[in-house]
Amino acid sequence: MTKLGERMLIGGELVTAAGGRTFDNINPATEEVIGTAPEASAADVERAIKEARRAFDTTSWSTDTELRRRCLVQLRDALRANVEELRSMVVAEIGVPVMLTGGIALEAAIGYFDHYINLLDTYAFERTVPTKEIFGTPVDRIIRREAVGVVAAITPWNYPFYLNICKVGAALAAGCTVVLKPAPDSPWSALALGAIAAEHTDIPAGVLNVISTSDTRVASLLTSHPDVDAVTLTGSTVTGRRVMAAAADTVKRVTLELGGKSAAVLLDDAPLETIIPALAGGVCVHAGQGCTQLTRLLVPRSRLDEAVGIAASVLPNIPWGDPTDPSSVMGPVINAAQRDSILRYYESAARDGRVVVGGKPTERFAKGYFVEPTLITDIDPKATVAQEEIFGPALVVLPYDDDEDALRIADGTIFGLSAAVYSADTDRAMTMARRFRSGTVSVNGAPWFDVESPFGGYKQSGIGREWGTEGLEDFLEVKTISFPPVAG
């Protein structure tokens, strides 16, 4: 097999970039260059879009459900066969702790293909409507769901393998053709997917294309090109706004999974001593680089000191450091710019509130983009660190006066991606869960993350949904065909 991460996939061929240009891929734990990725030019992107358009318009991919199912099975199985090489690659590329590669960071993500494979066995792409008189004329109708067309899939660096599979799996299952463009910090996770698809599946040439570039101007062609019918992006809210603006001229469909500033509300009857340790540890997983992590902890004002004390006893004991160490819960953040951004938030927290644990540049490692787990309190809910997505291992503890105040603070950001509520009274917790302006809510620690659960955000946390049946339908158009009833 071609070395994973070495070439792009365009029109069924594994190719280098025009002119052989490359950019460096850097290990965030060591700051070492671990290899290169192709630096796609505008001409490369144009070719990838052209191939995706041709494949959609001239092959049977969009109509042959059995072919799509067979190819997804082949892709899943081939990824599993290469899982050890992929494991080493993803740990080196993004600094994710190796302990997470048994789950969402790699192995579980590969298994998530099963969701769309199974949907292709059961989903009704066409249904009939009972005969009805319309304007005095008897008619029958068929409601069809058809692939939207060419999809540009743009993915970030935090959990790249999972997000590539999430987007590519849904779009391909729907019958779309795809141009996948990963973040420049995680190119290999996408290029490896393309190489394995090219060499181990029957996916027709042009159906799946994978390009890599560090040039945002080149990448932006995907969001404005008239031959692209839909864009799916996971990224920051700022990036989502730009994508929406670029897609507006051609009225593209957009699916946006954006930022979050998720709150965990502990009601006054919740047992803080059993809940807070897991919540405090949770913000440190993969150095806090997850959009749904519960980074705001809301507790009754009378129990603020107790809550801060519990969290403060947990964070210094989080195992962190070398991501290849199986005991590490968190490794580095992705790059120097992200590290410096997090440190600026820590400085802001020290000015506006109180930093109880961490909050300073770490000298624990000679190399690598590491930041300390940090606990912040005595801060206004409208302060910067309580409003903006830090995307680092930081927990903000906020007091509230009563349930209404807790709900006001929890919903008092531009985001609405996820939330949690804890109470000894499940009915009381469920009442609050129904009131959150949030795409997902956990009650008393019950996990919601599953391929059958639609995932996405309210407000500026996004548009559309991934997973569930809804994740497939985001890549389908709806067509109504009306015709005279057949005699007899």
Side-chain angles (χ1 to χ4, degrees):
M1 185 177 70
T2 302
K3 183 180 177 183
L4 296 182
E6 185 178 75
R7 297 185 181 183
M8 302 184 294
L9 175 61
I10 300 179
E13 299 177 348
L14 294 172
V15 299
T16 58
R21 296 192 310 150
T22 63
F23 62 94
D24 290 339
N25 197 3
I26 297 172
N27 183 327
T30 64
E31 301 181 47
E32 296 174 351
V33 175
I34 54 177
T36 62
E39 181 74 271
S41 66
D44 292 318
V45 177
E46 288 277 0
R47 183 185 165 207
I49 295 171
K50 180 180 179 181
E51 287 294 326
R53 181 84 266 162
R54 177 199 58 75
F56 185 80
D57 292 341
T58 65
T59 75
S60 63
W61 181 257
S62 67
T63 57
D64 192 339
T65 306
E66 180 51 41
L67 171 62
R68 301 202 300 271
R69 186 187 186 284
R70 182 174 79 249
C71 289
L72 289 179
V73 169
Q74 291 170 337
L75 183 53
R76 178 202 64 194
D77 292 348
L79 290 168
R80 284 176 173 162
N82 288 275
V83 72
E84 293 308 322
E85 184 176 0
L86 295 170
R87 192 189 317 280
S88 299
M89 180 198 72
V90 74
V91 172
E93 180 171 59
I94 65 169
V96 66
V98 69
M99 67 176 292
L100 298 182
T101 61
I104 185 177
L106 180 61
E107 290 187 58
I110 294 171
Y112 293 162
F113 268 120
D114 287 343
H115 173 65
Y116 292 114
I117 291 167
N118 294 335
L119 267 183
L120 288 175
D121 287 332
T122 61
Y123 187 77
F125 286 91
E126 184 172 297
R127 63 184 175 88
T128 58
V129 178
T131 301
K132 182 179 181 181
E133 257 192 30
I134 301 178
F135 300 128
T137 302
V139 296
D140 282 343
R141 282 162 292 165
I142 291 173
I143 313 301
R144 288 177 52 83
R145 291 188 180 268
E146 301 175 344
V148 70
V150 175
V151 173
I154 303 171
T155 55
W157 40 259
N158 57 330
Y159 288 98
F161 221 89
Y162 156 73
L163 289 160
N164 293 336
I165 287 173
C166 175
K167 296 183 184 302
V168 167
L172 293 182
C176 298
T177 58
V178 178
V179 180
L180 171 63
K181 200 290 293 182
D185 294 289
S186 54
W188 288 357
S189 294
L191 295 170
L193 182 67
I196 290 171
E199 297 186 346
H200 297 283
T201 79
D202 296 325
I203 295 175
V207 165
L208 175 61
N209 306 271
V210 185
I211 59 154
S212 56
T213 180
S214 64
D215 189 333
T216 56
R217 294 169 300 176
V218 170
S220 68
L221 291 172
L222 289 169
T223 62
S224 59
H225 199 286
D227 279 339
V228 172
D229 300 296
V231 179
T232 176
L233 164 83
T234 295
S236 70
T237 295
V238 170
T239 302
R241 293 177 191 139
R242 293 175 183 152
V243 167
M244 285 189 74
D249 281 348
T250 50
V251 197
K252 300 186 194 305
R253 179 176 299 194
V254 292
T255 299
L256 305 175
E257 195 272 284
L258 307 177
K261 192 69 175 177
S262 303
V265 176
L266 277 60
L267 298 181
D268 55 22
D269 59 353
L272 272 59
E273 65 281 359
T274 60
I275 297 169
I276 291 177
L279 293 175
V283 300
C284 298
V285 173
H286 193 19
Q289 298 173 117
C291 54
T292 62
Q293 282 166 294
L294 298 165
T295 55
R296 291 183 298 151
L297 177 60
L298 277 58
V299 298
R301 191 173 300 277
S302 63
R303 304 186 72 182
L304 176 63
D305 290 345
E306 178 188 359
V308 170
I310 295 169
S313 70
V314 171
L315 291 184
N317 297 310
I318 297 296
W320 61 289
D322 181 359
T324 66
D325 183 340
S327 69
S328 292
V329 170
M330 61 175 268
V333 296
I334 191 65
N335 55 37
Q338 182 64 15
R339 176 199 60 197
D340 294 346
S341 171
I342 293 167
L343 291 176
R344 286 193 294 272
Y345 277 114
Y346 289 175
E347 292 170 0
S348 173
R351 290 192 304 269
D352 297 340
R354 178 165 64 99
V355 177
V356 181
V357 174
K360 302 181 295 297
T362 180
E363 298 179 355
R364 184 170 173 178
F365 306 99
K367 292 284 188 178
Y369 310 121
F370 292 93
V371 294
E372 292 183 312
T374 294
L375 178 63
I376 302 160
T377 193
D378 294 347
I379 199 157
D380 190 284
K382 294 296 184 184
T384 299
V385 295
Q387 287 286 311
E388 296 182 9
E389 186 175 44
I390 298 173
F391 227 58
L395 178 65
V396 180
V397 185
L398 301 167
Y400 67 84
D401 295 319
D402 54 28
D403 289 7
E404 289 300 317
D405 190 38
L407 187 66
R408 177 185 62 80
I409 295 170
D411 281 345
T413 74
I414 64 171
F415 302 111
L417 191 58
S418 195
V421 58
Y422 294 81
S423 172
D425 183 341
T426 301
D427 289 341
R428 183 183 175 198
M430 288 293 294
T431 296
M432 179 164 282
R434 290 187 173 96
R435 297 183 65 193
F436 282 123
R437 296 281 296 162
S438 178
T440 58
V441 183
S442 168
V443 172
N444 288 336
W448 53 262
F449 188 88
D450 179 75
V451 293
E452 294 179 359
S453 302
F455 169 62
Y458 284 30
K459 299 187 285 183
Q460 294 188 41
S461 283
I463 296 173
R465 292 295 182 268
E466 296 177 333
W467 301 119
T469 304
E470 292 80 358
L472 181 73
E473 290 177 341
D474 256 22
F475 297 102
L476 296 173
E477 295 281 15
V478 180
K479 175 187 288 183
T480 298
I481 302 174
S482 179
F483 55 96
V486 177

